[in-house]
């Protein structure tokens, strides 16, 4: 969706000397499904060779050492993509869903956290606060997550909380009828649950340590979400019940305001996911570019 939006945007220039950034258009998803590549090691080698070719064929890479270049991926396989090229890893900006402080190839002050958002044809209608009768909702596999296992063990039988390893009702229904929706890491710190909660008007409760939240240097997440450390899971219910009705309504109102930032459009619209990412890239534009 980012690539589609970029091609339909007004931000592309045909004069490279005018560009703030250069996009490296390799696709991790295509590479991992190509029988000639597929493995993480092979993808890293392919990307290193590609970057080497760029640096030899064009003057733009060498003018900044790759600091004004960026690439985009969401699948976890892409984490190792820059491992075989030091300049790509150290200088180029990765725009990624796998935005964890704990990941060795993610540099928080350089890289950009990409929101994991499912494309939607229409905006989801919201249930108002008075129609949300359940305190909390979460449903997700627990096999690859100790934190999820702890969450289910502690709160799976609480009658005021809908916390399941497999939801007994439609996934969307849980978001629509609950005040708070839990995001807790699985294999990665990121899942689509954060943006799903935002789209359905359910206040996200972030239980993923080391998660560099999307648009974190633009949005104040404390105004429309609740961030809780893994070690505080036992106090989850106490923390949520301590939030006053007035504060909850304020957070709900703020959530309604930020929904437009978590939507993709084939032709970008103001303040949508594409423009938010483009703005974060602009904030990181290199001031060290040499002459071509």
């Amino acid at each position: 969706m980012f690539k589609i939006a970029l091609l339909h945007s007004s931000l592309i220039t045909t004069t490279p000397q005018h560009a703030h950034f250069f996009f490296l258009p390799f696709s991790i998803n295509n590479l991992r499904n190509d029988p000639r590549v597929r493995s993480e090691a092979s993808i890293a080698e392919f990307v290193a060779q590609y970057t080497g070719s760029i640096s030899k064929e064009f003057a733009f890479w060498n003018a900044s050492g790759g600091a004004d270049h960026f690439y985009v991926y969401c699948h976890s396989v892409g984490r190792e993509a820059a491992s075989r090229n030091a300049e790509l890893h150290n200088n180029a900006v990765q725009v990624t869903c796998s935005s964890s402080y704990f990941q060795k190839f993610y540099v928080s002050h350089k890289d950009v956290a990409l929101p994991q958002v499912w494309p939607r044809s229409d905006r989801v209608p919201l249930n108002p606060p008075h129609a949300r009768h359940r305190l909390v909702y979460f449903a997700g596999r627990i096999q690859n997550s100790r934190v999820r296992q702890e969450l289910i063990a502690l709160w799976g039988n609480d009658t005021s909380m809908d916390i399941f390893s497999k939801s007994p009702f439609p996934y969307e229904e849980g978001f629509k009828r609950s005040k708070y929706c839990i995001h807790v890491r699985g294999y990665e710190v990121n899942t689509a649950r954060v943006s799903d909660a935002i789209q359905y008007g359910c206040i996200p409760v972030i239980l993923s340590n080391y998660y560099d939240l999307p648009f974190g240097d633009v949005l104040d997440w404390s105004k429309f979400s609740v961030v809780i450390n893994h070690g505080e899971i036992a106090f989850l219910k106490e923390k949520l019940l301590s939030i006053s009705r007035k504060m909850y309504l304020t957070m709900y109102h703020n959530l309604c305001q930020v929904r437009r930032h978590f939507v993709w459009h084939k032709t970008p619209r103001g303040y949508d996911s594409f423009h938010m990412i483009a703005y974060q890239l602009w904030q990181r534009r290199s001031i060290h570019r040499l002459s071509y």
Side-chain angles (χ1 to χ4, degrees):
M1 286 303 298
F2 176 88
K3 295 172 186 177
I4 291 171
L6 177 64
L7 292 173
H8 286 85
S9 77
S10 61
L11 302 185
I12 297 177
T13 177
T14 56
T15 307
Q17 290 78 5
H18 294 169
H20 287 108
F21 270 97
F22 296 90
F23 177 44
L24 303 173
F26 56 82
S27 169
I28 295 297
N29 192 55
N30 285 347
L31 288 170
R32 64 183 286 266
N33 289 302
D34 190 320
R36 298 169 298 175
V37 189
R38 301 197 71 167
S39 72
E40 290 187 6
S42 296
I43 290 174
E45 185 61 35
F46 174 91
V47 171
Q49 292 178 8
Y50 168 80
T51 307
S53 298
I54 292 294
S55 65
K56 293 176 183 176
E57 189 172 348
F58 302 103
F60 312 114
W61 178 277
N62 294 324
S64 68
D68 53 4
H69 287 59
F70 75 98
Y71 59 103
V72 180
Y73 72 93
C74 200
H75 197 280
S76 58
V77 171
R79 292 181 304 179
E80 301 287 329
S83 61
R84 303 289 179 90
N85 186 290
E87 283 191 331
L88 183 65
H89 169 224
N90 294 325
N91 300 341
V93 177
Q94 61 170 313
V95 180
T96 174
C97 295
S98 301
S99 52
S100 172
Y101 297 121
F102 208 61
Q103 192 213 119
K104 62 181 178 179
F105 290 117
Y106 182 81
V107 184
S108 59
H109 64 275
K110 172 179 71 71
D111 299 326
V112 174
L114 177 70
Q116 195 165 335
V117 180
W118 297 115
R120 293 181 172 89
S121 56
D122 298 301
R123 294 195 68 170
V124 178
L126 296 184
N127 267 3
H130 65 78
R132 297 175 178 272
H133 305 297
R134 304 297 292 168
L135 179 64
V136 172
Y137 174 68
F138 170 80
R141 292 185 300 174
I142 64 173
Q143 291 87 342
N144 59 353
S145 174
R146 180 191 59 79
V147 184
R148 290 186 181 184
Q149 293 170 10
E150 184 178 353
L151 178 70
I152 296 290
L154 283 170
W155 299 111
N157 294 322
D158 191 292
T159 56
S160 65
M161 306 167 81
D162 289 335
I163 296 180
F164 313 102
S165 57
K166 184 176 181 180
S167 183
F169 44 78
Y171 179 73
E172 297 82 0
E173 184 63 27
F175 288 96
K176 290 179 179 179
R177 70 183 194 175
S178 303
K179 293 181 175 68
Y180 301 96
C181 290
I182 296 178
H183 162 83
V184 55
R185 69 166 297 151
Y187 178 67
E188 296 283 340
V189 296
N190 56 286
T191 73
R193 285 177 180 79
V194 174
S195 57
D196 285 343
I198 291 170
Q199 289 305 317
Y200 286 105
C202 189
I203 305 297
V205 178
I206 313 295
L207 269 170
S208 289
N209 290 7
Y210 314 114
Y211 188 9
D212 192 13
L213 289 164
F215 315 141
D217 51 0
V218 182
L219 302 178
D220 184 351
W221 281 77
S222 68
K223 297 294 194 297
F224 60 92
S225 71
V226 180
V227 179
I228 297 177
N229 186 278
H230 287 173
E232 300 177 309
I233 292 180
F235 305 102
L236 172 64
K237 186 174 182 179
E238 179 182 343
K239 284 180 174 292
L240 295 181
L241 290 177
S242 70
I243 297 172
S244 67
R245 175 70 176 174
K246 181 179 179 181
M247 178 58 70
Y248 166 74
L249 292 176
T250 299
M251 294 174 71
Y252 180 85
H253 172 76
N254 293 337
L255 190 72
C256 293
Q257 300 302 307
V258 303
R259 288 178 79 212
R260 60 179 176 166
H261 304 316
F262 294 84
V263 180
W264 290 103
H265 302 103
K266 290 184 178 180
T267 300
R269 303 177 191 174
Y271 304 101
D272 66 1
S273 289
F274 172 79
H275 280 109
M276 293 291 283
I277 292 167
Y279 176 62
Q280 289 193 293
L281 285 169
W282 182 81
Q283 288 180 311
R284 288 160 171 78
R285 65 197 184 281
S286 175
I287 61 173
H288 305 295
R289 177 186 291 177
L290 304 176
S291 61
Y292 297 128

